Amino acid sequence: MDFYQRVTMVCQAIPSGKVATYGQIALLCGCPRNSRQVGYGLNKKMTEDVPAHRVVNHQGYLSGAQSFETYDLQRRLLEAEGVEVSSDQRVDLKKFGWHNTMEDAYAFRALFEDLI
DNA sequence: ATACTGACTAATC
DNA sequence: TGATTAGCCAGTA
């Protein structure tokens, strides 16, 4: 299975109202060092049927790059799901982060390992 | 093949 | 702690 296909799958598994980091997704895809490629993929490859707005960097900051149609589109989509975004374009990963523990991450990975 | 880029992160100070 | 630095690696030219 192609790396970007796995990225797509993992992103689609992010529940509404939660956010994940690039590094997390890379890890769940079996390529812990490909966080940059996750960003590349979301920007250039898919974007269809993929909730890319639920992906932020490891500090909780929304993407600074202007890949969304308008500057605040990502923010509006998140807030529409109940995710609080501070004025400096940041979300609280403690509150809204998907898989806050390694145990959760491993559980997810075990669930999908046959697809990886 | 080489160089540069970037929706990133972990290490270091 | 917070701010730099250094490493990362698929794509692109």
Side-chain angles (χ1 to χ4, degrees):
Chain A
M1 195 171 190
D2 181 73
F3 173 73
Y4 292 108
Q5 291 180 288
R6 299 200 296 271
V7 171
T8 301
M9 182 191 75
V10 172
C11 289
Q12 288 172 341
I14 303 172
S16 174
K18 294 283 182 181
V19 298
T21 70
Y22 301 94
Q24 260 182 343
I25 291 166
L27 176 67
L28 292 171
C29 288
C31 301
R33 320 196 207 135
N34 281 28
S35 49
R36 296 190 96 132
Q37 282 58 241
V38 173
Y40 174 86
L42 293 177
N43 185 28
K44 303 268 179 170
K45 302 274 185 183
M46 41 210 136
T47 336
E48 290 179 59
D49 311 319
V50 179
H53 60 282
R54 299 195 188 124
V55 186
V56 300
N57 75 15
H58 71 129
Q59 293 189 329
Y61 286 108
L62 274 52
S63 100
Q66 316 197 339
S67 299
F68 287 95
E69 303 193 9
T70 64
Y71 175 70
D72 63 343
L73 178 59
Q74 182 173 20
R75 173 178 188 145
R76 292 205 320 270
L77 289 170
L78 287 173
E79 288 177 337
E81 296 180 347
V83 177
E84 298 166 20
V85 182
S86 61
S87 56
D88 57 345
Q89 302 296 292
R90 193 181 194 181
V91 307
D92 186 352
L93 291 177
K94 289 273 166 68
K95 275 189 180 177
F96 303 105
W98 184 40
H99 293 167
N100 284 319
T101 69
M102 280 320 238
E103 284 74 17
D104 286 340
Y106 286 136
F108 175 87
R109 195 170 189 289
L111 203 63
F112 285 87
E113 67 183 355
D114 54 324
L115 299 175
I116 298 175

